[in-house]
Amino acid sequence: MPESTTSEPRLCVCHIFDDEWAYACPHSLRYLQLGLVDAAVETLLVLPAGRKLPIPPAGSGTLLTHEQGNWLTRRAQTRRTVARIRERLAASKSPGPVIAHGFGPRSLLIAAEVIAGRDGAVVLTLDGAESHALPHLGVKLEHPPTILAPTPPIARRLSTVHVAPRIEIAPLGVPAADRVAAFDDESAEVALVFAGRLTPGARVELLLRALKRLLATQPRAMLFLAGKGPAEPALRQLAGALGIASNVIFVGRVDPIRSVLQSADVFCVPHWDGRWCEEVIEAMAAGLAIVAPENGPIESLRHGQSALLFPESDEFRLAEYLERMTQDRATARRLGTEAQNVCRAEHQVSQMVQQHLAVYRSLAARGKTLKLDANR
């Protein structure tokens, strides 16, 4: 991990999460915090009420929660949250600048008001699905926030919005496992897994219909759905209607997700909805064989090299690739091994920490103060 030097001011970084991002990357956040503490950075973590980290804040980190409220109470809730954050910052041992780093567009208002009138800067991490929200956030800053994207495809999508002088790529990462999980037990039944929110946008129904076709040749294959969401009742009903309910296990939200992935063989992504999905990186780290749509947010998933990629919404090709993975297990293990190697090369925890720290220190060195426009 990077170490601080006496020539650099001691930083305080405030990570502010909206509800979507608190769900999307809890483990990456944990490792980022650990790395920042190793670099002598004081951290303050602000999570939506009801969300929690898999394990407590790292080292000297402090945890606050905030109520997001509805449209009537959101402004008052924001003022209360900002007051609590400022109180903690006033008691901070860090004399240096404050970096308010928001994850998700709804975190920007809190981040901007935390920094208003003091030495610091605003950073905002977004994914492709959130680009449309930026022009409508109702926040006017003296200087635009620095926008971070987890991958190059997401950065390209965000660049069309033109809300920042530049968009930097700062990958999120998790440690790779020490073994390849895909078909490491030849005697076990085939285990497929989907991990993520069960929403209509996830299109998990495509996966259920593909499983129906797979069961014609692999009748004992099992599909584990690791997640919760509003689409779950409809998915349970569809599994029953297709006659595959006994082959589909709804396991709910699991932390840590690695415990599920290491017992699986194939990781399935039926649809890219544009949002960042830490579970895909976790699947790469575990060494699973991955089947996903083309043109996704993780360009290091390459067809025939580290995954099998099917045309978007093509459930027939999805079923074909699932069958190929289960019948040609040597190829599945090769793809899982390469996906794990890609994770080590492009989604290292140390790389994540170094790139975020470089952004924070660069902004602190500029000595800029971001203020809310008085006419907002």
Side-chain angles (χ1 to χ4, degrees):
M1 296 294 181
E3 296 180 354
S4 63
T5 66
T6 56
S7 62
E8 295 169 331
R10 179 175 170 85
L11 290 174
C12 180
V13 176
C14 180
H15 285 151
I16 305 164
F17 279 70
D18 69 13
D19 192 63
E20 289 291 338
W21 275 89
Y23 188 99
C25 57
H27 298 94
S28 298
L29 164 64
R30 171 62 179 176
Y31 292 114
L32 177 57
Q33 278 209 315
L34 284 169
L36 293 177
V37 169
D38 283 350
V41 174
E42 187 171 351
T43 60
L44 175 62
L45 176 63
V46 184
L47 286 176
R51 293 290 179 199
K52 61 181 180 180
L53 286 175
I55 42 183
S60 61
T62 301
L63 174 64
L64 292 176
T65 60
H66 68 93
E67 297 284 350
Q68 299 191 96
N70 56 36
W71 67 275
L72 287 173
T73 63
R74 187 169 296 137
R75 182 55 60 89
Q77 295 283 11
T78 296
R79 284 197 295 267
R80 284 193 286 270
T81 299
V82 170
R84 293 174 62 209
I85 294 172
R86 284 177 168 264
E87 181 180 343
R88 292 296 181 95
L89 292 176
S92 169
K93 298 178 181 179
S94 172
V98 173
I99 305 298
H101 184 171
F103 289 77
R106 291 177 181 82
S107 66
L108 180 57
L109 180 58
I110 296 176
E113 294 199 8
V114 165
I115 294 302
R118 66 178 301 147
D119 185 17
V122 173
V123 178
L124 189 63
T125 292
L126 296 171
D127 63 27
E130 298 164 330
S131 59
H132 67 281
L134 285 171
H136 310 291
L137 290 174
V139 176
K140 296 181 181 179
L141 297 170
E142 183 177 325
H143 302 284
T146 296
I147 304 295
L148 302 184
T151 66
I154 291 176
R156 289 193 290 270
R157 182 169 179 176
L158 291 173
S159 67
T160 63
V161 183
H162 303 299
V163 295
R166 70 180 185 278
I167 296 172
E168 300 192 27
I169 298 169
L172 299 173
V174 296
D178 57 5
R179 68 178 181 88
V180 175
F183 298 104
D184 66 339
D185 183 354
E186 289 291 337
S187 64
E189 302 299 337
V190 174
L192 315 177
V193 63
F194 165 87
R197 278 193 167 181
L198 299 180
T199 64
R203 301 293 306 278
V204 179
E205 71 276 5
L206 296 175
L207 181 55
L208 293 182
R209 289 197 286 265
L211 175 65
K212 172 71 173 180
R213 294 183 174 86
L214 175 65
L215 291 175
T217 58
Q218 299 285 341
R220 301 181 68 178
M222 299 296 297
L223 170 62
F224 297 88
L225 300 180
K228 300 288 288 183
E232 182 175 337
L235 293 172
R236 287 182 179 273
Q237 184 177 14
L238 178 59
L242 292 172
I244 61 173
S246 61
N247 296 87
V248 180
I249 306 298
F250 290 81
V251 299
R253 173 77 170 171
V254 179
D255 281 321
I257 190 61
R258 188 74 63 92
S259 62
V260 173
L261 299 180
Q262 288 181 334
S263 300
D265 302 303
V266 181
F267 186 85
C268 311
V269 182
H271 173 68
W272 294 118
D273 65 359
R275 297 193 179 279
W276 174 252
C277 181
E278 183 181 82
E279 289 88 351
V280 178
I281 302 301
E282 288 276 14
M284 296 170 68
L288 291 183
I290 296 174
V291 178
E294 299 168 345
N295 303 316
I298 304 174
E299 63 184 3
S300 55
L301 288 179
R302 298 184 176 90
H303 183 67
Q305 298 179 30
S306 53
L308 292 182
L309 306 180
F310 61 92
E312 184 70 56
S313 301
D314 189 341
E315 66 184 72
F316 297 98
R317 191 66 62 85
L318 169 57
E320 175 190 334
Y321 287 168
L322 291 178
E323 185 171 3
R324 184 186 301 182
M325 289 289 201
T326 59
Q327 292 183 345
D328 186 355
R329 299 188 178 189
T331 294
R333 280 191 63 79
R334 176 181 62 80
L335 293 172
T337 299
E338 182 57 27
Q340 191 178 72
N341 290 337
V342 169
C343 182
R344 288 194 179 100
E346 301 185 19
H347 296 280
Q348 297 180 60
V349 171
S350 59
Q351 181 185 28
M352 169 180 64
V353 174
Q354 289 165 4
Q355 292 194 243
H356 281 80
L357 192 55
V359 170
Y360 298 156
R361 285 180 171 157
S362 173
L363 290 171
R366 294 177 193 173
K368 291 183 178 180
T369 301
L370 300 180
K371 299 180 180 179
L372 286 173
D373 192 309
N375 297 320
R376 179 174 60 82

